[in-house]
Amino acid sequence: MEVYKKSSFCDGKIRMVQGAILALALTVFLGNLMMWVIMPTFTYYQKWVPVLVASTNSTFFDIQGPIMMNFTLPILFIAVLGCFYVHLEKKKSDIVTSSSCCNKDWLKILKKPKIIKPLGIVTWIELFFLAMFIILCVWYFSAFVYFHYSTITTYAATKGVEVWQARIDRLALVIGLTGNICLTFLFYPVSRGSSILPLLGLTSEGSIKYHIWLGHMAMTLFTIHGLLFILFWTVSGRLHEMLTWDPHYISNVPGELGLLVGLILWATTFPAIRRRMFELFFYTHYLYILFMAFFLLHTGMFYACIMLPGFFLFLIDRYLRFLQSKRKVRLISARVLACETVELNFSKISGLEYSPTSVMFLNVPTISKLQWHPFTVTSNSNLESDTISVVIKCEGSWTKKLYDVISLPSPVDRLDVSVEGPYGPASTHFLRHDTLVLISGGSGITPFISIIRELIYMSSTLKCKTPKILLVSVFRNTSQLSMLDLLLPLTGTPSGCSSDVDLHIEAYITRENEPAPEKTEPLRTIWFKPDHSDAPITPILGQNNWLWLAAIISSSFALYLLFVGLLYQYYVYPMDHGTNKVFPYHKRALFNMLFIAAAIGIAASAAFLWNKKRSARETKQIQDMADSGKSINSLLAYADQELESLPQQSLHKSIKTHYGQRPDLKRILQEVKGSSVGVLASGPKTLRHDVAAICSSGLVKNLQFESISFTW
């Protein structure tokens, strides 16, 4: 057995600690889930709540204390545990052994893909958890209906309405409470830097579909919730209640405003609008800020505590992304391809490490000050320690404008660019397969560039046995074949990689029946002159970013509790118990929003500034070296040698091009040899669905499918 960087004994210790963290996180989550299940029952309100209030209620927290203990604290504790888990996962990924190739995926049967029309490509695991979530919502709905309808006669008499009218009122409330369950999970999939998703082996890009499902479910329930209340007010002659803002209970006006904002946001998320008018979708999605503000003013903190942890983690992630995006990064060069594609190369510090298939978000203020677009990172942090690259193909108005700016005969000397990320999986498991089949369509090849470069590094530098690679790429015309030239990096390519990696490329040109006349148009490299203030891309929280994130979550929540406690101790409690006045619910919600923002701002800013100061020395060294021209001269030397290098010549020999046809995917996958074959598909929806259907058909038993998509 070959061992690199760490011993297998150390790996075993890390696995033991990770297992203990997972067990503790699972225990806490199951306990929290039990509270969700018990909440809509008589047992919760008659037995559990009095015990909680008696044990945790005080002048310092009032009734908000036990609610926080119930729902918010456990999830944030799991998030902190997740930070430690992912930190250890990164350490474990440094250990590469030849036995890694034989690791078995015991969940491969449950990971078999299924194509369900409304949902797209899903696995049995996803269907299982979706079913469990729907069961939880149904239980929540039915238990609350039983709870409220059991005393409906008394409630109707108190309200001064008919029993059937009171049923509409209570049904509307219950549907709104069920919508809160969807809102509880809505923000986890879009928290790109959160530890919850890596703890579950997920990425934010792969989890966007969960956000979409939850968003549709939540807005459907909230819309029915609002319409039923309007119906109740109409039939009971109480339409004037639509304009009430009760300071001591649920406020109707902010609820109606929140629903209106939510409907506007929801309308632009449907594919017909989102894909044709992306900017409209993008800008209206910022209305979530107003939606959440009105939601908190509508319900108060009592009903909002169940969804607070997910929103709290999202705000931490969003603020850290904001801090990172304020810095202009150092754009070194661009490689322009004939197929309206450009590769951007940025400077980075050597401590910034990332996994293959990671994603980086780019903003170019000269094109749009608000738009951020995700692109796959194609470079490898081991082969290219000083640079990070993304490939951008013209497929929309924003990318077209960027390409036009860069590909001008006299291109600009400098381009203002801000970035967020990179974000990606905590670790990859490509070595567990004997063979990798990478199937791409058009620009879908970009995630596979990073995978191939990672395997080149493992094979040539670590001397680790790597799987055979079959790359099946589908292009429209011959000019797009130039994207295959990006498989090898601009710098750092080992000279012997052609013999170390078993790579075969099948390229299919669908709209041309024969090779086009050869063009002498090589890759065009453009060198920029960054400003001295442009900084290399650095980890937002340093190399130990997950440990810093755990500190931010813990300290910000502690600060928030301190602020809330002081408010209740010295202002709310004296007013509620010493005078005839009651502190208004909407003011409590406003103060809570202010305290959450202040606590996160203080904790995250302190961590960011501390790490920025620590990385300032390396940043200055890179800037000084770049300003002196040393790094550019070295890159130019590599660029001059690139097209004549042995790796590039070997790469072109491994390409077999087919004209005027599409690949017979079923035949290709049936002919692949190996006890474990990893099949990754990236590109158009139809291509991914075709590959998933073959892998799930059962014709070949050794296929393990994974879809890579950012088009949702």
Side-chain angles (χ1 to χ4, degrees):
M1 177 185 296
E2 298 179 66
V3 182
Y4 300 92
K5 296 189 180 180
K6 294 184 183 290
S7 67
S8 58
F9 174 73
C10 182
D11 182 33
K13 290 177 66 177
I14 291 176
R15 289 180 184 275
M16 287 179 60
V17 176
Q18 281 186 307
I21 291 175
L22 277 176
L24 182 57
L26 180 61
T27 303
V28 174
F29 175 74
L30 291 176
N32 193 241
L33 182 60
M34 182 184 71
M35 296 305 304
W36 293 343
V37 172
I38 294 175
M39 186 179 180
T41 64
F42 286 101
T43 303
Y44 179 79
Y45 288 99
Q46 293 178 354
K47 296 182 179 180
W48 192 253
V49 168
V51 173
L52 273 176
V53 171
S55 60
T56 59
N57 193 11
S58 66
T59 59
F60 198 70
F61 287 116
D62 199 61
I63 190 63
Q64 191 166 333
I67 301 300
M68 286 287 181
M69 292 293 294
N70 253 352
F71 298 109
T72 306
L73 187 59
I75 298 300
L76 295 185
F77 181 63
I78 292 173
V80 171
L81 290 177
C83 291
F84 289 107
Y85 175 88
V86 180
H87 178 73
L88 292 173
E89 185 71 18
K90 286 181 64 178
K91 283 191 172 183
K92 192 178 71 175
S93 65
D94 291 338
I95 305 167
V96 183
T97 66
S98 60
S99 61
S100 299
C101 305
C102 304
N103 288 341
K104 294 183 179 180
D105 187 357
W106 300 104
L107 296 176
K108 65 181 180 180
I109 296 177
L110 295 178
K111 289 182 179 178
K112 284 285 186 180
K114 294 287 292 182
I115 300 177
I116 299 178
K117 226 168 190 182
L119 304 178
I121 301 174
V122 293
T123 64
W124 286 107
I125 294 178
E126 291 173 329
L127 288 176
F128 171 76
F129 280 104
L130 178 61
M132 293 296 291
F133 179 76
I134 293 174
I135 290 171
L136 176 63
C137 290
V138 171
W139 159 253
Y140 215 74
F141 173 80
S142 58
F144 260 127
V145 166
Y146 177 76
F147 176 81
H148 286 290
Y149 276 28
S150 61
T151 57
I152 196 68
T153 305
T154 305
Y155 177 78
T158 305
K159 195 82 171 175
V161 296
E162 300 288 338
V163 172
W164 66 272
Q165 295 172 346
R167 291 183 187 277
I168 297 176
D169 174 82
R170 295 295 88 186
L171 181 63
L173 173 65
V174 169
I175 290 176
L177 293 173
T178 308
N180 283 1
I181 294 290
C182 301
L183 198 61
T184 297
F185 294 93
L186 183 65
F187 290 96
Y188 293 112
V190 288
S191 299
R192 299 171 194 159
S194 173
S195 60
I196 296 292
L197 294 178
L199 185 65
L200 300 173
L202 301 171
T203 62
S204 59
E205 284 67 43
S207 303
I208 288 293
K209 58 184 177 184
Y210 310 142
H211 176 75
I212 296 172
W213 300 348
L214 290 165
H216 286 313
M217 293 173 66
M219 285 310 304
T220 299
L221 292 170
F222 286 147
T223 303
I224 297 172
H225 165 76
L227 292 176
L228 283 177
F229 266 118
I230 293 174
L231 175 62
F232 166 71
W233 293 328
T234 302
V235 298
S236 62
R238 297 165 178 252
L239 270 176
H240 63 277
E241 290 193 12
M242 290 184 65
L243 303 178
T244 60
W245 192 313
D246 192 338
H248 308 311
Y249 191 57
I250 302 298
S251 302
N252 294 332
V253 172
E256 292 151 6
L257 292 174
L259 179 59
L260 179 62
V261 168
L263 288 174
I264 296 172
L265 188 154
W266 189 27
T268 62
T269 62
F270 289 92
I273 295 178
R274 187 184 70 236
R275 291 174 182 168
R276 295 177 184 176
M277 295 178 283
F278 179 80
E279 289 193 14
L280 178 64
F281 156 77
F282 183 85
Y283 293 131
T284 55
H285 227 63
Y286 281 104
L287 290 174
Y288 78 87
I289 301 171
L290 284 178
F291 176 82
M292 292 305 300
F294 285 133
F295 175 83
L296 290 170
L297 291 173
H298 172 58
T299 63
M301 292 306 297
F302 182 85
Y303 289 105
C305 277
I306 192 171
M307 54 69 57
L308 182 60
F311 190 56
F312 195 91
L313 293 173
F314 171 77
L315 288 179
I316 292 175
D317 174 68
R318 189 66 190 87
Y319 184 62
L320 288 173
R321 284 158 43 194
F322 168 77
L323 291 175
Q324 185 186 24
S325 67
K326 298 307 291 180
R327 303 188 71 181
K328 301 300 180 185
V329 298
R330 183 173 286 267
L331 178 60
I332 301 174
S333 66
R335 290 202 286 180
V336 181
L337 281 68
C339 58
E340 293 192 323
T341 300
V342 61
E343 179 190 58
L344 300 181
N345 302 290
F346 299 91
S347 173
K348 77 173 184 71
I349 67 172
S350 57
L352 177 62
E353 297 180 351
Y354 48 88
S355 300
T357 71
S358 292
V359 171
M360 193 161 65
F361 286 73
L362 267 62
N363 169 260
V364 183
T366 54
I367 298 176
S368 174
K369 292 183 178 180
L370 293 178
Q371 286 192 50
W372 290 81
H373 291 268
F375 299 99
T376 308
V377 176
T378 54
S379 55
N380 179 270
S381 60
N382 295 303
L383 286 176
E384 301 143 286
S385 60
D386 299 325
T387 59
I388 183 170
S389 308
V390 297
V391 172
I392 301 173
K393 190 176 188 305
C394 289
E395 292 184 338
S397 59
W398 189 91
T399 52
K400 176 64 176 174
K401 291 176 183 177
L402 178 64
Y403 180 81
D404 290 342
V405 168
I406 294 177
S407 62
L408 289 172
S410 299
V412 294
D413 291 336
R414 176 181 173 273
L415 203 60
D416 272 344
V417 183
S418 298
V419 303
E420 291 180 6
Y423 308 102
S427 61
T428 54
H429 306 285
F430 304 124
L431 290 181
R432 71 167 179 251
H433 300 295
D434 300 320
T435 304
L436 281 178
V437 181
L438 313 177
I439 303 175
S440 68
S443 60
I445 192 176
T446 53
F448 300 150
I449 296 175
S450 62
I451 294 175
I452 291 173
R453 292 187 184 183
E454 176 73 6
L455 295 177
I456 288 174
Y457 167 74
M458 288 184 172
S459 175
S460 60
T461 305
L462 300 182
K463 303 302 179 182
C464 178
K465 182 182 178 182
T466 56
K468 299 177 181 178
I469 308 171
L470 172 60
L471 174 61
V472 181
S473 295
V474 183
F475 301 112
R476 292 182 179 179
N477 48 59
T478 305
S479 65
Q480 293 184 349
L481 282 173
S482 58
M483 294 190 71
L484 296 176
D485 293 331
L486 300 176
L487 290 174
L488 297 181
L490 184 64
T491 63
T493 307
S495 60
C497 72
S498 57
S499 59
D500 293 327
V501 177
D502 190 351
L503 172 63
H504 298 278
I505 302 173
E506 300 280 342
Y508 290 82
I509 310 300
T510 58
R511 296 189 178 182
E512 295 178 3
N513 293 322
E514 57 185 17
E518 285 193 14
K519 296 181 179 180
T520 58
E521 207 175 317
L523 287 176
R524 179 185 168 204
T525 303
I526 300 167
W527 299 93
F528 297 102
K529 299 176 182 177
D531 190 84
H532 183 73
S533 61
D534 294 342
I537 300 175
T538 60
I540 184 65
L541 295 174
Q543 294 186 28
N544 294 320
N545 59 316
W546 291 108
L547 298 182
W548 278 103
L549 181 59
I552 291 173
I553 295 171
S554 306
S555 58
S556 60
F557 188 62
L559 277 174
Y560 165 63
L561 292 180
L562 176 63
F563 293 153
V564 171
L566 292 174
L567 174 71
Y568 276 88
Q569 175 77 16
Y570 296 106
Y571 199 63
V572 176
Y573 191 84
M575 179 180 289
D576 288 352
H577 295 81
T579 66
N580 294 327
K581 295 181 180 180
V582 177
F583 197 78
Y585 274 33
H586 65 274
K587 286 188 178 179
R588 300 186 194 204
L590 285 172
F591 273 110
N592 273 274
M593 284 188 276
L594 175 64
F595 293 155
I596 289 172
I600 291 174
I602 292 171
S605 297
F608 171 76
L609 292 174
W610 176 266
N611 282 283
K612 181 181 178 181
K613 185 178 180 180
R614 294 189 64 180
S615 63
R617 181 180 297 179
E618 185 175 357
T619 298
K620 190 175 186 307
Q621 288 177 349
I622 294 174
Q623 289 173 329
D624 292 342
M625 184 179 294
D627 292 339
S628 67
K630 292 180 181 178
S631 61
I632 291 182
N633 290 336
S634 62
L635 287 171
L636 282 170
Y638 276 115
D640 292 338
Q641 300 171 10
E642 179 194 6
L643 293 178
E644 291 78 22
S645 65
L646 289 175
Q648 281 288 348
Q649 294 175 14
S650 177
L651 175 68
H652 288 297
K653 290 179 181 178
S654 66
I655 301 174
K656 184 177 181 181
T657 307
H658 309 267
Y659 291 90
Q661 59 179 301
R662 295 183 178 276
D664 185 349
L665 297 175
K666 183 181 292 187
R667 177 190 60 79
I668 291 172
L669 292 176
Q670 286 179 336
E671 292 178 354
V672 175
K673 305 298 182 182
S675 59
S676 176
V677 178
V679 181
L680 284 74
S682 175
K685 180 180 178 180
T686 52
L687 174 71
R688 290 181 282 112
H689 281 208
D690 289 344
V691 177
I694 296 170
C695 293
S696 61
S697 64
L699 296 175
V700 184
K701 302 294 184 182
N702 59 345
L703 301 181
Q704 297 184 43
F705 173 79
E706 181 178 346
S707 174
I708 301 177
S709 171
F710 311 106
T711 57
W712 35 275

